[in-house]
mmCIF file of all heavy atoms in Angstrom:
data_model
loop_
_atom_site.group_PDB
_atom_site.id
_atom_site.type_symbol
_atom_site.label_atom_id
_atom_site.label_comp_id
_atom_site.label_asym_id
_atom_site.label_seq_id
_atom_site.Cartn_x
_atom_site.Cartn_y
_atom_site.Cartn_z
ATOM 1 N N THR A 21 -134.178 108.663 -48.858
ATOM 2 C CA THR A 21 -134.230 107.398 -48.008
ATOM 3 C C THR A 21 -135.539 106.805 -47.919
ATOM 4 O O THR A 21 -136.631 107.339 -47.913
ATOM 5 C CB THR A 21 -134.007 107.867 -46.535
ATOM 6 O OG1 THR A 21 -132.741 108.559 -46.485
ATOM 7 C CG2 THR A 21 -133.815 106.773 -45.558
ATOM 8 N N LEU A 22 -135.537 105.494 -48.277
ATOM 9 C CA LEU A 22 -136.651 104.528 -48.137
ATOM 10 C C LEU A 22 -136.637 103.572 -47.004
ATOM 11 O O LEU A 22 -135.634 102.742 -46.883
ATOM 12 C CB LEU A 22 -136.860 103.820 -49.585
ATOM 13 C CG LEU A 22 -138.007 102.838 -49.649
ATOM 14 C CD1 LEU A 22 -139.314 103.791 -49.588
ATOM 15 C CD2 LEU A 22 -137.863 102.126 -50.914
ATOM 16 N N THR A 23 -137.582 103.581 -46.165
ATOM 17 C CA THR A 23 -137.561 102.718 -44.947
ATOM 18 C C THR A 23 -138.647 101.672 -45.234
ATOM 19 O O THR A 23 -139.882 102.073 -45.534
ATOM 20 C CB THR A 23 -137.909 103.419 -43.696
ATOM 21 O OG1 THR A 23 -136.781 104.403 -43.569
ATOM 22 C CG2 THR A 23 -137.877 102.348 -42.542
ATOM 23 N N THR A 24 -138.423 100.346 -45.198
ATOM 24 C CA THR A 24 -139.356 99.386 -45.396
ATOM 25 C C THR A 24 -139.843 98.677 -44.044
ATOM 26 O O THR A 24 -138.959 98.488 -43.182
ATOM 27 C CB THR A 24 -139.055 98.333 -46.394
ATOM 28 O OG1 THR A 24 -137.739 97.692 -46.057
ATOM 29 C CG2 THR A 24 -138.808 99.147 -47.685
ATOM 30 N N ILE A 25 -141.039 98.154 -43.902
ATOM 31 C CA ILE A 25 -141.423 97.350 -42.731
ATOM 32 C C ILE A 25 -141.798 96.070 -43.257
ATOM 33 O O ILE A 25 -142.722 95.894 -44.093
ATOM 34 C CB ILE A 25 -142.530 98.038 -42.009
ATOM 35 C CG1 ILE A 25 -142.142 99.523 -41.556
ATOM 36 C CG2 ILE A 25 -143.038 97.193 -40.852
ATOM 37 C CD1 ILE A 25 -143.253 100.368 -41.046
ATOM 38 N N THR A 26 -141.130 94.914 -42.826
ATOM 39 C CA THR A 26 -141.403 93.665 -43.364
ATOM 40 C C THR A 26 -141.668 92.685 -42.198
ATOM 41 O O THR A 26 -141.382 93.063 -41.014
ATOM 42 C CB THR A 26 -140.212 93.120 -44.099
ATOM 43 O OG1 THR A 26 -138.905 92.963 -43.365
ATOM 44 C CG2 THR A 26 -139.945 94.046 -45.307
ATOM 45 N N GLU A 27 -142.160 91.504 -42.598
ATOM 46 C CA GLU A 27 -142.353 90.477 -41.449
ATOM 47 C C GLU A 27 -141.024 90.020 -40.949
ATOM 48 O O GLU A 27 -139.988 90.077 -41.737
ATOM 49 C CB GLU A 27 -143.261 89.306 -41.995
ATOM 50 C CG GLU A 27 -142.606 88.498 -43.135
ATOM 51 C CD GLU A 27 -143.402 87.418 -43.711
ATOM 52 O OE1 GLU A 27 -144.179 86.818 -42.926
ATOM 53 O OE2 GLU A 27 -143.383 87.225 -44.914
ATOM 54 N N LEU A 28 -140.987 89.357 -39.777
ATOM 55 C CA LEU A 28 -139.815 89.001 -39.242
ATOM 56 C C LEU A 28 -139.468 87.515 -39.456
ATOM 57 O O LEU A 28 -140.377 86.729 -39.457
ATOM 58 C CB LEU A 28 -139.860 89.185 -37.708
ATOM 59 C CG LEU A 28 -138.687 88.692 -36.882
ATOM 60 C CD1 LEU A 28 -137.610 89.693 -37.124
ATOM 61 C CD2 LEU A 28 -138.951 88.773 -35.319
ATOM 62 N N GLY A 29 -138.342 87.188 -40.017
ATOM 63 C CA GLY A 29 -137.874 85.870 -40.380
ATOM 64 C C GLY A 29 -136.598 85.552 -39.743
ATOM 65 O O GLY A 29 -135.883 86.353 -39.416
ATOM 66 N N SER A 30 -136.254 84.255 -39.762
ATOM 67 C CA SER A 30 -134.922 83.835 -39.264
ATOM 68 C C SER A 30 -134.021 83.400 -40.454
ATOM 69 O O SER A 30 -134.532 82.795 -41.473
ATOM 70 C CB SER A 30 -135.163 82.530 -38.424
ATOM 71 O OG SER A 30 -136.123 82.783 -37.281
ATOM 72 N N PRO A 31 -132.825 83.920 -40.327
ATOM 73 C CA PRO A 31 -131.904 83.499 -41.401
ATOM 74 C C PRO A 31 -131.716 82.012 -41.554
ATOM 75 O O PRO A 31 -131.773 81.297 -40.568
ATOM 76 C CB PRO A 31 -130.491 84.100 -40.920
ATOM 77 C CG PRO A 31 -130.827 85.090 -39.957
ATOM 78 C CD PRO A 31 -132.198 84.666 -39.279
ATOM 79 N N LEU A 32 -131.531 81.561 -42.769
ATOM 80 C CA LEU A 32 -131.470 80.185 -43.115
ATOM 81 C C LEU A 32 -130.047 79.629 -42.832
ATOM 82 O O LEU A 32 -129.082 79.998 -43.624
ATOM 83 C CB LEU A 32 -131.839 79.961 -44.613
ATOM 84 C CG LEU A 32 -132.237 78.554 -44.969
ATOM 85 C CD1 LEU A 32 -133.170 78.470 -46.037
ATOM 86 C CD2 LEU A 32 -130.948 77.733 -45.389
ATOM 87 N N GLU A 33 -129.853 78.893 -41.831
ATOM 88 C CA GLU A 33 -128.466 78.261 -41.488
ATOM 89 C C GLU A 33 -128.648 76.804 -41.639
ATOM 90 O O GLU A 33 -129.269 76.074 -41.033
ATOM 91 C CB GLU A 33 -128.251 78.643 -39.939
ATOM 92 C CG GLU A 33 -128.057 79.963 -39.671
ATOM 93 C CD GLU A 33 -126.833 80.765 -40.109
ATOM 94 O OE1 GLU A 33 -125.960 80.055 -40.591
ATOM 95 O OE2 GLU A 33 -126.919 81.931 -40.179
ATOM 96 N N MET A 34 -127.740 76.306 -42.614
ATOM 97 C CA MET A 34 -127.951 74.983 -43.179
ATOM 98 C C MET A 34 -127.630 73.995 -41.938
ATOM 99 O O MET A 34 -128.137 73.017 -41.815
ATOM 100 C CB MET A 34 -127.112 74.764 -44.284
ATOM 101 C CG MET A 34 -127.285 73.459 -44.976
ATOM 102 S SD MET A 34 -128.939 73.270 -45.691
ATOM 103 C CE MET A 34 -128.934 74.588 -46.882
ATOM 104 N N ILE A 35 -126.630 74.406 -41.211
ATOM 105 C CA ILE A 35 -126.132 73.463 -40.195
ATOM 106 C C ILE A 35 -127.174 73.171 -39.101
ATOM 107 O O ILE A 35 -127.578 72.118 -38.706
ATOM 108 C CB ILE A 35 -124.784 73.975 -39.448
ATOM 109 C CG1 ILE A 35 -123.627 73.903 -40.459
ATOM 110 C CG2 ILE A 35 -124.414 73.090 -38.307
ATOM 111 C CD1 ILE A 35 -122.361 74.450 -39.834
ATOM 112 N N GLN A 36 -127.870 74.284 -38.776
ATOM 113 C CA GLN A 36 -128.931 74.156 -37.818
ATOM 114 C C GLN A 36 -130.179 73.421 -38.408
ATOM 115 O O GLN A 36 -130.737 72.677 -37.679
ATOM 116 C CB GLN A 36 -129.563 75.594 -37.394
ATOM 117 C CG GLN A 36 -128.337 76.321 -36.602
ATOM 118 C CD GLN A 36 -128.965 77.727 -36.219
ATOM 119 O OE1 GLN A 36 -130.193 78.098 -36.523
ATOM 120 N NE2 GLN A 36 -128.086 78.560 -35.584
#
Side-chain angles (χ1 to χ4, degrees):
T21 298
L22 179 66
T23 302
T24 61
I25 303 171
T26 63
E27 64 182 325
L28 184 64
S30 303
L32 195 153
E33 300 290 344
M34 194 61 66
I35 293 179
Q36 293 181 2

